[in-house]
Amino acid sequence: MESIKNYVEDFIRLTGISGNAVPIVRHISLVLIAILLAWAAGALCKKLIIPIVRHVTKKTKSNWDEIIFNDKVLITASRIMPAIVIAWLLPLVFFQYPTVHTILEKLTALYIVVMSVRLFIALINSLNQLKLSSSPAVRQYIRTFCGVLKVILILNTAIVMVAILFNKNPMSIFAGLGATSAIMMLVFKDTIEGLVAGIRLTSNDMVRKGDWITVPSTLADGVVEDISLTTVKVRNFDNTTVTVTPLTLVSGSFQNWRSMQNGEGRRVKRLLYIDFRSVKLADEALKTSLLTNKLLSEEQMKGQEVNVSLFRKFVEQYLKNRPEVNEKLTLVVRQVEATQAGLPIEFVFFIKNSPDIHYEHTLADIIEHLYAYTHAFGLTIYQQYPEQ
């Protein structure tokens, strides 16, 4: 260090400067040289190294290197180089000013730590963009793991920065945290529970992005748009957005419609209440009318003497003949326990899952037809009027 100082001073004296001005000019010169070298290091990375890395990654057949070494990662890495050059030159520039040297050394170290963390976070975000698996559950698990990794990285960075500021060994601070872990657990209880719940939610494949979920304890009833360690964002069908914590889903109960959407049909379970006063024996006029209108055949009407029984037979046949109904799945038309609101006839069937079939429109059309056909069997739907 002393030899470099003497060399610079000798060079300054050759320019004709002498006396007390030599140390001042030397110090200013070294500061300018340090700034120039730091700028040159940054420019070299941006103008030479980054284009070379981009060129190499584009030449490869795989695209994982382009995703990991994207522009954000490379630019963040290039911003660390000037600080490294400054840190290397600080002892040379400020060897006569220990206080200034100590302050700038700490500030430079903090900058390097912060930019290094930003670089690692950018790399972790790049990993999330890699298609490491075709399974949505595995991809979500990787995303959750990366989220936990970022939280741990930020916490460790905070400890390292405190150690730099107070000239402490980071390991001694880590050791001291063991004594205060109980207090930390109480302070960050909700955050820790949320992180654990988020990991359980994704590792057990309880919910995925794109699933339709219903959470009874909240206003959430829609499609999952985003899942993180601390929040699950749901867009309702009225286009509102509800944010639910993973802890709410794990500790409580919610309904996931994924299996229904991926299955062969969506179940319908409806009740039609028949007025008791319209239930009667089927006479010949009713049977003739049903034959004429081709609602039932003679074979189907054998042994059926009550108009409600004939109606149940017709509904079964009608649902089986509907192309939108999946007859391979459960199809039941039955009478359930009578109530004060009439005789309930229950329909249980499945509407096919198909892009060409609109569930709500199809269901409405089927139920409306069943309501209309009740009159053909001499039945009336129960309605609670004052005169009843």
Side-chain angles (χ1 to χ4, degrees):
M1 194 68 66
E2 188 69 22
S3 60
I4 295 176
K5 181 196 76 168
N6 295 332
Y7 176 78
V8 174
E9 287 182 353
D10 292 340
F11 181 79
I12 292 172
R13 288 190 182 95
L14 291 175
T15 61
I17 300 173
S18 61
N20 295 330
V22 173
I24 297 174
V25 174
R26 181 203 66 214
H27 183 69
I28 295 174
S29 301
L30 290 176
V31 170
L32 293 176
I33 291 172
I35 295 174
L36 181 63
L37 290 176
W39 175 83
L44 181 67
C45 290
K46 290 182 180 179
K47 301 297 183 181
L48 182 63
I49 298 178
I50 291 179
I52 291 175
V53 173
R54 287 175 181 166
H55 180 74
V56 171
T57 54
K58 288 181 180 179
K59 288 293 184 180
T60 57
K61 295 181 180 180
S62 58
N63 63 346
W64 64 266
D65 49 357
E66 292 183 49
I67 296 175
I68 292 179
F69 299 105
N70 55 57
D71 290 346
K72 188 172 183 180
V73 171
L74 295 176
I75 292 173
T76 304
S78 68
R79 289 173 180 170
I80 302 176
M81 290 304 300
I84 295 175
V85 173
I86 292 294
W88 178 63
L89 293 175
L90 277 177
L92 174 64
V93 178
F94 296 100
F95 65 92
Q96 287 182 323
Y97 305 94
T99 303
V100 177
H101 173 232
T102 302
I103 294 173
L104 292 178
E105 187 178 35
K106 288 184 178 181
L107 292 177
T108 306
L110 290 175
Y111 177 83
I112 293 174
V113 169
V114 171
M115 295 307 297
S116 299
V117 171
R118 290 186 61 182
L119 175 61
F120 281 113
I121 290 177
L123 286 171
I124 292 172
N125 291 335
S126 300
L127 289 176
N128 281 330
Q129 300 176 13
L130 288 176
K131 295 182 178 179
L132 299 176
S133 174
S134 58
S135 171
V138 174
R139 290 200 299 268
Q140 184 59 47
Y141 186 79
I142 293 172
R143 185 180 178 187
T144 302
F145 175 77
C146 290
V148 174
L149 196 60
K150 285 192 284 186
V151 172
I152 296 173
L153 183 63
I154 292 172
L155 290 176
N156 290 336
T157 302
I159 294 172
V160 172
M161 291 176 69
V162 171
I164 292 173
L165 286 173
F166 295 98
N167 292 326
K168 299 290 184 181
N169 188 345
M171 298 308 297
S172 63
I173 298 179
F174 281 112
L177 287 177
T180 59
S181 59
I183 299 175
M184 296 290 289
M185 289 288 288
L186 290 175
V187 173
F188 297 103
K189 176 177 177 293
D190 294 337
T191 304
I192 295 171
E193 286 183 345
L195 290 175
V196 174
I199 295 172
R200 287 178 57 192
L201 199 65
T202 54
S203 61
N204 294 328
D205 196 21
M206 297 171 68
V207 65
R208 303 175 189 168
K209 187 177 179 180
D211 284 354
W212 170 18
I213 65 171
T214 303
V215 188
S217 59
T218 68
L219 298 176
D221 182 15
V223 179
V224 176
E225 283 196 332
D226 186 50
I227 304 174
S228 65
L229 286 177
T230 54
T231 58
V232 177
K233 188 183 293 184
V234 180
R235 180 173 291 277
N236 291 337
F237 296 112
D238 59 359
N239 215 28
T240 59
T241 301
V242 178
T243 302
V244 184
T245 62
L247 185 60
T248 302
L249 302 181
V250 173
S251 61
S253 62
F254 69 98
Q255 193 169 15
N256 193 327
W257 300 86
R258 184 201 310 161
S259 57
M260 180 274 294
Q261 291 176 313
N262 297 336
E264 296 182 356
R266 181 174 172 182
R267 193 188 73 164
V268 176
K269 186 177 181 180
R270 292 295 178 91
L271 290 173
L272 190 152
Y273 291 88
I274 302 296
D275 193 335
F276 284 113
R277 290 172 294 184
S278 65
V279 178
K280 57 186 178 181
L281 296 174
D283 53 19
E284 290 300 322
L286 176 60
K287 292 182 178 181
T288 302
S289 174
L290 295 176
L291 286 172
T292 303
N293 294 317
K294 298 181 180 180
L295 298 180
L296 290 174
S297 64
E298 291 185 4
E299 183 68 23
Q300 291 173 321
M301 288 190 290
K302 283 184 179 180
Q304 305 294 338
E305 299 296 334
V306 182
N307 56 353
V308 175
S309 300
L310 295 175
F311 178 69
R312 287 191 292 104
K313 280 282 186 182
F314 164 75
V315 172
E316 284 186 4
Q317 172 186 284
Y318 174 78
L319 293 176
K320 288 179 181 179
N321 292 336
R322 290 282 305 214
E324 304 92 343
V325 176
N326 192 337
E327 57 180 301
K328 297 179 181 178
L329 300 178
T330 303
L331 198 160
V332 177
V333 180
R334 63 175 183 170
Q335 180 187 141
V336 296
E337 186 177 355
T339 67
Q340 293 181 350
L343 178 64
I345 303 297
E346 184 180 57
F347 316 117
V348 181
F349 59 95
F350 285 80
I351 294 178
K352 294 178 180 177
N353 284 333
S354 172
D356 301 328
I357 299 176
H358 193 287
Y359 173 80
E360 298 293 344
H361 290 172
T362 303
L363 174 59
D365 184 64
I366 291 174
I367 299 301
E368 287 163 2
H369 274 79
L370 296 182
Y371 285 153
Y373 279 123
T374 55
H375 299 287
F377 290 83
L379 299 169
T380 56
I381 299 172
Y382 178 83
Q383 298 182 74
Q384 190 174 4
Y385 287 116
E387 57 266 23
Q388 290 182 336

